[in-house]
Amino acid sequence: MATEVKVPTLGESITEATLGQWLKAPGEAVKADEPIASLETDKVAVEVNSPVDGVMGEQAVAEGDTVEVGAVIALVNEGASAASAATPAVADRNAVGQAEAAAPTEPAAAPVDGDDDPKTLSPAVRRVVLEHGLDPSKIRGTGKDGRLTKDDVLAAAKAQGQAKPVAVSAPAAGAPVAAVAAGARKEERVRMTRLRQTIASRLKESQNTTAMLTTYNDVDMTAVMDARNRYKDLFEKKHGIRLGFMSFFAKAAVLALRDVPAVNAAIEGDEIVYRDYADISVAVSAPQGLVVPVVRDADKLSFAGIEKTIADFGKRAKDGTLKIEEMKGGTFTISNGGVFGSLLSSPIINLGQSAVLGLHRIEERPVVRDGQIVARPMMYLALSYDHRLVDGREAVTFLVRIKEAIEDPTRLLIDL
């Protein structure tokens, strides 16, 4: 008996997705609730689980195809064995493989993927494995369920001292070899993922619909760094989480949003919506691209609560397990490009919001204190805002409030 595998409900207003990757091949044994496919939506990757125990049967769609909610994408044969449930396509493929094995062939690269390979590789990972001529079974995967990521393969290649990708296979003796001129340029076309298409569309829409302007300031990080160094061990011992800089900036943003409510507001039609709560979106880097989960009620959370929430988001963004509802809403965004070494940038406003705060790397620079030139750990701050709603005076005031709170963290405790 064959059971249909359908595209699950993906969330409010999401009606379709892209089949990003098959995690099981026809003929492979599967268990109930075991992931068999990965879907890419506008926001996150969603796994499709097998509804029953059995063997993977026919796959109705290919990787890269668009599928609608409720559509049948595969069949799972209940009660069949892996050996007997292979589809005709699999049988044909095995026959071809046997024919190829009977003939003399050129040296082959290490196996990359197949029915007997415990590690199912995504197209991007498979390509890198082939380029470097590596054996994926000897690489430790850090992705979900031990799956290989592109970074895992690159790290393995680096560990072997490979400066450049190696050829996948050598041409057979006597075979014609196309001449490749020295310094020849190559191109590769890769289809954009649904998430990357959505990011591109939303960023461009933000530029087209907002009167975006950016104002800058710098902040002396001495006080925050001293406080962090003084209490980080006690903080981690008590709360089980490291004390980072993001909780300081989130708390500072909460104070500034109260003082300048227009930054926390949004334009809807011909109305301005003011919020008395702070749901802070935090930009997080994920393998598929940038995602922006929301720290709900940041104004009510403690330092530890904010740090735990952000750490959880970061971990699950890498694993691809963030939920769609966790990235909806948000009244204000903080984006930390400093973790990648950015000195200064002009962030783009998240649609539905009126401003975004950009953080950057900390570096020692000469500044004047009490008439003396001294070295201080300084960071540039950037606030991009919708000038239709936020005036320049309000934007500068907001950024100054952030600066004051960071340079004197006591303000965060006494709500000043």
Side-chain angles (χ1 to χ4, degrees):
M1 176 180 177
T3 300
E4 295 180 339
V5 180
K6 298 182 179 181
V7 177
T9 301
L10 302 172
E12 183 181 355
S13 75
I14 298 180
T15 60
E16 62 180 21
T18 298
L19 198 298
Q21 177 186 0
W22 282 111
L23 305 179
K24 291 289 184 180
E28 286 191 273
V30 297
K31 296 181 179 180
D33 297 326
E34 182 180 8
I36 62 174
S38 176
L39 301 177
E40 295 177 357
T41 71
D42 293 349
K43 299 178 182 290
V44 295
V46 178
E47 289 185 336
V48 180
N49 299 329
S50 173
V52 295
D53 292 339
V55 174
M56 190 70 184
E58 179 185 357
Q59 295 174 345
V61 296
E63 292 182 355
D65 288 352
T66 298
V67 293
E68 296 183 352
V69 172
V72 176
I73 60 173
L75 298 176
V76 173
N77 299 314
E78 298 180 60
S81 65
S84 63
T87 62
V90 175
D92 291 344
R93 183 179 61 189
N94 291 338
V96 172
Q98 294 171 0
E100 291 176 345
T105 59
E106 59 191 38
V112 174
D113 198 7
D115 293 345
D116 297 327
D117 189 358
K119 293 183 178 180
T120 304
L121 308 182
S122 69
V125 173
R126 183 183 298 111
R127 182 171 62 251
V128 178
V129 168
L130 289 172
E131 287 175 350
H132 290 276
L134 299 175
D135 182 353
S137 65
K138 297 181 180 179
I139 305 175
R140 180 177 176 273
T142 60
K144 186 177 181 182
D145 297 329
R147 294 175 197 153
L148 289 182
T149 67
K150 185 177 180 181
D151 290 338
D152 295 333
V153 180
L154 293 176
K158 185 177 180 181
Q160 292 186 8
Q162 296 184 14
K164 295 181 179 180
V166 299
V168 174
S169 59
V177 179
V180 179
R185 300 183 299 174
K186 299 181 179 179
E187 292 184 353
E188 180 183 11
R189 293 181 181 270
V190 179
R191 182 176 179 178
M192 293 176 68
T193 64
R194 179 176 290 271
L195 177 59
R196 176 53 58 185
Q197 292 179 45
T198 301
I199 290 173
S201 174
R202 289 178 64 85
L203 290 178
K204 188 57 183 174
E205 184 180 354
S206 178
Q207 285 186 320
N208 292 341
T209 58
T210 62
M212 191 159 53
L213 184 62
T214 306
T215 186
Y216 306 92
N217 212 323
D218 62 0
V219 58
D220 188 340
M221 296 292 291
T222 301
V224 165
M225 293 177 70
D226 288 346
R228 181 173 179 267
N229 291 333
R230 187 180 306 118
Y231 298 113
K232 64 180 181 181
D233 292 336
L234 291 174
F235 186 89
E236 185 171 4
K237 183 178 180 180
K238 179 176 181 179
H239 300 291
I241 189 71
R242 295 178 60 188
L243 177 61
F245 295 124
M246 283 298 292
S247 53
F248 285 94
F249 279 101
K251 283 293 188 181
V254 167
L255 291 181
L257 291 171
R258 288 174 180 168
D259 288 348
V260 190
V263 178
N264 202 41
I267 294 177
E268 293 186 4
D270 58 357
E271 297 180 333
I272 300 176
V273 180
Y274 291 96
R275 293 106 163 203
D276 65 352
Y277 56 90
D279 287 348
I280 298 182
S281 303
V282 180
V284 176
S285 179
Q288 299 86 4
L290 192 70
V291 293
V292 193
V294 181
V295 180
R296 308 286 179 188
D297 296 317
D299 50 322
K300 299 177 182 178
L301 292 178
S302 64
F303 278 74
I306 292 174
E307 291 291 355
K308 288 179 179 179
T309 302
I310 294 176
D312 178 60
F313 284 155
K315 180 180 182 300
R316 291 194 291 122
K318 292 181 180 178
D319 294 341
T321 57
L322 282 174
K323 299 178 181 178
I324 294 174
E325 55 267 23
E326 291 175 318
M327 289 181 283
K328 287 185 176 181
T331 62
F332 179 74
T333 295
I334 299 178
S335 178
N336 186 7
V339 297
F340 304 109
S342 172
L343 175 65
L344 187 63
S345 65
S346 301
I348 298 178
I349 300 170
N350 199 7
L351 278 175
Q353 300 178 12
S354 295
V356 51
L357 176 66
L359 311 182
H360 302 87
R361 77 169 185 251
I362 302 170
E363 65 174 8
E364 284 198 339
R365 292 199 294 270
V367 296
V368 178
R369 295 289 185 269
D370 300 323
Q372 300 293 321
I373 298 178
V374 295
R376 288 287 187 269
M378 304 297 293
M379 175 194 288
Y380 285 119
L381 303 178
L383 181 74
S384 293
Y385 59 98
D386 189 346
H387 212 344
R388 298 177 302 164
L389 177 58
V390 182
D391 295 331
R393 175 184 61 83
E394 293 174 308
V396 172
T397 300
F398 180 90
L399 212 48
V400 169
R401 292 289 183 271
I402 297 286
K403 177 181 173 70
E404 292 172 344
I406 295 299
E407 292 185 343
D408 183 8
T410 305
R411 290 174 174 265
L412 301 176
L413 301 178
I414 61 178
D415 195 12
L416 183 61

